[in-house]
Amino acid sequence: MKSFLRIVAFIALFGSVSFVCNASNLPDTTNNTKSCSVTIRNDTTITTLDSVVTVSLTAPLGAFSYLWQASNSSAVIANPSSRNTTATITDTTTFTLTATYIEPANLVVNGDFESGNTGFTTQLSYNPSTYGNGGLWGEGTYCVDYNAGDHHANFNTCYHTGNGKYFMANGVTSPNYTVWQQTITTQVGSTYLFSTDCVNIAPSTDPSKLSRFQFSVNNNLLGSIFTVTPGPCDWQTFNSSFVATTGSAVIKIVNQNTQQDGNDFGLDNIYVKKLCVATASVTFNIVRPCNVYAVDLAVTKDSLCRGEEIKLWNQSSSTGTSHWLYGNDSIIADTLLLMPQNSQTVTLILTDSNGCEATDSAFLYVEEPPVVTISGDTTICQHSFTTLSANVVPLSSDYVFAWSNGSSAQSINVDTTAEISITVTSPLGCTGNAQCNVTMNPLFYDTLSITLCEGEFYTEHGFNANATGTYQRDYISIDGCDSSYYLNLVVNPTYIDTIYDSICQYDSYEFHGNEYQEQGQYIANLQSINGCDSIFVLELTLKQVYRDTIKADIFKGKTFNLYGFSESETGIYTNTFEGSNGCDSTVVLDLQVDNIGFPNVVTANDDGINDVFVIHNLLEDNIFTENELIIYNRYGKEVYYKKNISKYDDFWKPDSSTPTGTYFYRFIGYRHDQTINHSGTIDVLR
């Protein structure tokens, strides 16, 4: 299988790239918007077999900065910011040059200080005198002159280009200190270059003590801090660019050094000039001749069974990268090992290092293996057989059958338990398999000897018998085979007895190992000698027992004589007697003896003896702290009332105006467990 590719070669001369500045478009000396441009030769086509090509890149003179950029990430530029440089490329690449030009107009007034101390402001103090008259001895002073050595005995004798004037100062120790400031007119969106020359005029060369400057535009610090060189009178130029955001800009040079000794400097040639950007590009088209002409796809076999592995490869003399396409998949490999599941076309695309391609294809026929199933009963009974047949899809008369028992027929007979398998082979050699297990179940003839108790039924295996005898039942086993059960049944008798009895409440009755205290029916199941239940029933009656508790209260010296008691002391007493039902009944007496006494005579003559109606032990024993005392005369009129007697003065004391005679009293005492109500008489005498 061969395919051919036509090769076309492109050959072009290669030369360096040059740019020409269009002088007619350079900006004028005003602040008006001007344009600048560069021109470039035509694109270049290079025909080569080399994998890497080196090209020269050359820009015109006169730009402030250059930047070369490549469209292809594989390109390597030796020095992207150089005017003249080289680059290596592997494929067609476009290079873009960005050239930045400085317009000649300086927007700063008196930036070279030739007009003296004018056109700017500063936070330093102006002192133009020479060092013999004070000069720049003081920190924070400056002047504009030709030689720093004329204004400080320790300053270096420093002149600038052309021996012109420059700004010289003795610095301060505060950061962000404005040493020079001016406001200029700008154009919003335009880019400007802020530049100054600076020099160290102090004898110190310690880098930590040298002046450190930073540009500021509209009070925003610009760029990084730059430090003067330590060499005396070594002028250097520093600059930074900014984009104008307003129509005017306050531009500053600030000193960031905080050292006292050595922080002495000179400034000159300060300028702000607009930048103009021009771009141009050139493309190098890389063309390589083809070295691949044809591809011949080879395969071990193009008709195969599903799941069979085959090998495909390129057997032509052409070399390159082999890209295989099959189904929805693809792979890059010299040799393809494939196990196709369906018929399909496989395509080989051979690509050389120059991108040239050749293609060849092969169709693979994949045969479905035969699908085999086994039909027939796989469960048989003892002394029978089953016929098993092989069913094959798709149908064909060319299949070869191979059973595990050695038969080559499409059907076989099986009469025993066995694992059966079959392999069916197509003419192409594709195979299908199936297997099954044949189980032979036995026939059952079982004899059952069962003993029951009277009243029970035997219901297992389909029987329903409750009398002594022999029974037979035929059935189909769980495996579907005929079987029989023979039942020899013996039925033994059972016994039942009932006892009627009674007990008194709170007593217990022992019945076959258990004690019962409640009225009811109780059953004891025992076994007779032949193992059948013997039932004893207890009908138990409960006779009532009476229990009562009496709470009583008497005064000291009295006796409680009710319900068979005769008690005169505080305590709990029990009296038991037999009731009419023969059961003991109990009466509990909770007796409280109150040790208080009531007088019956009061002599109201103020002699301090028996002048007060005092209830003895009421206060001493703290008895009945809640109480009421009421005194009535013989006509029933209340003459005294006191609630909650708690001290001696609360008792009734008849005075000289109280008539003699008999009075009646009533005392009510309250306690948590009872209330007493006691009445009596008392005679008042003199």
Side-chain angles (χ1 to χ4, degrees), residues 399-403 405-412 422:
Y399 289 129
V400 175
F401 299 91
W403 292 89
N405 66 352
S407 174
S408 60
Q410 189 168 354
S411 300
I412 60 173
I422 185 174

Side-chain angles (χ1 to χ4, degrees), residues 35-343:
S35 63
C36 53
S37 64
V38 291
T39 58
I40 192 169
R41 59 183 289 173
N42 294 333
D43 295 341
T44 300
T45 298
I46 304 171
T47 301
T48 179
L49 293 176
D50 295 335
S51 60
V52 178
V53 179
T54 301
V55 297
S56 296
L57 304 173
T58 302
L61 295 169
F64 172 69
S65 65
Y66 301 89
L67 179 62
W68 293 96
Q69 293 175 298
S71 63
N72 196 325
S73 61
S74 62
V76 179
I77 303 174
N79 189 350
S81 61
S82 176
R83 184 177 72 88
N84 298 322
T85 187
T86 60
T88 57
I89 58 177
T90 58
D91 299 293
T92 296
T93 304
T94 298
F95 292 94
T96 300
L97 170 66
T98 300
T100 302
Y101 295 91
I102 302 175
E103 296 186 3
N106 184 6
L107 304 182
V108 174
V109 177
N110 193 27
D112 58 3
F113 297 99
E114 293 307 312
S115 298
N117 184 35
T118 184
F120 64 91
T121 60
T122 178
Q123 288 183 294
L124 302 175
S125 299
Y126 181 62
N127 186 358
S129 61
T130 59
Y131 67 83
N133 297 315
L136 301 181
W137 287 99
E139 294 179 3
T141 59
Y142 79 99
C143 71
V144 177
D145 206 349
Y146 299 97
N147 178 19
D150 293 339
H151 297 272
H152 196 295
N154 294 327
F155 283 176
N156 294 310
T157 300
C158 293
Y159 296 92
H160 200 197
T161 304
N163 293 331
K165 295 180 181 180
Y166 64 91
F167 181 100
M168 55 194 69
N170 188 336
V172 298
T173 58
S174 301
N176 291 316
Y177 203 82
T178 301
V179 299
W180 181 91
Q181 175 178 325
Q182 190 176 119
T183 300
I184 63 173
T185 299
T186 56
Q187 186 174 27
V188 176
S190 294
T191 303
Y192 295 87
L193 185 67
F194 191 173
S195 177
T196 185
D197 294 343
C198 60
V199 68
N200 173 30
I201 61 176
S204 175
T205 58
D206 185 349
S208 66
K209 297 180 179 181
L210 299 177
S211 299
R212 303 170 70 241
F213 297 110
Q214 195 166 13
F215 293 125
S216 169
V217 178
N218 290 331
N219 294 319
N220 295 315
L221 293 176
L222 183 66
S224 58
I225 295 173
F226 55 91
T227 304
V228 299
T229 58
C233 304
D234 185 8
W235 287 90
Q236 284 193 320
T237 301
F238 296 93
N239 50 54
S240 184
S241 63
F242 67 93
V243 178
T245 58
T246 59
S248 64
V250 177
I251 57 175
K252 300 178 182 180
I253 300 176
V254 296
N255 191 355
Q256 302 288 21
N257 197 354
T258 58
Q259 297 292 325
Q260 177 179 356
D261 183 22
N263 185 14
D264 308 306
F265 57 90
L267 300 175
D268 200 3
N269 295 335
I270 301 174
Y271 71 79
V272 174
K273 296 182 180 181
K274 186 186 291 187
L275 297 178
C276 180
V277 178
T279 60
S281 63
V282 62
T283 299
F284 293 95
N285 296 299
I286 303 300
V287 177
R288 294 184 174 87
C290 296
N291 58 16
V292 58
Y293 299 94
V295 62
D296 188 4
L297 188 156
V299 59
T300 51
K301 60 189 300 189
D302 56 9
S303 296
L304 62 155
C305 300
R306 188 178 65 184
E308 183 179 355
E309 185 178 77
I310 59 170
K311 176 182 177 182
L312 300 95
W313 69 97
N314 171 30
Q315 63 181 2
S316 71
S317 59
S318 297
T319 60
T321 300
S322 296
H323 187 187
W324 300 88
L325 303 178
Y326 53 97
N328 295 323
D329 297 320
S330 65
I331 190 174
I332 296 176
D334 293 335
T335 301
L336 177 63
L337 294 177
L338 193 62
M339 191 179 293
Q341 301 297 310
N342 307 100
S343 297

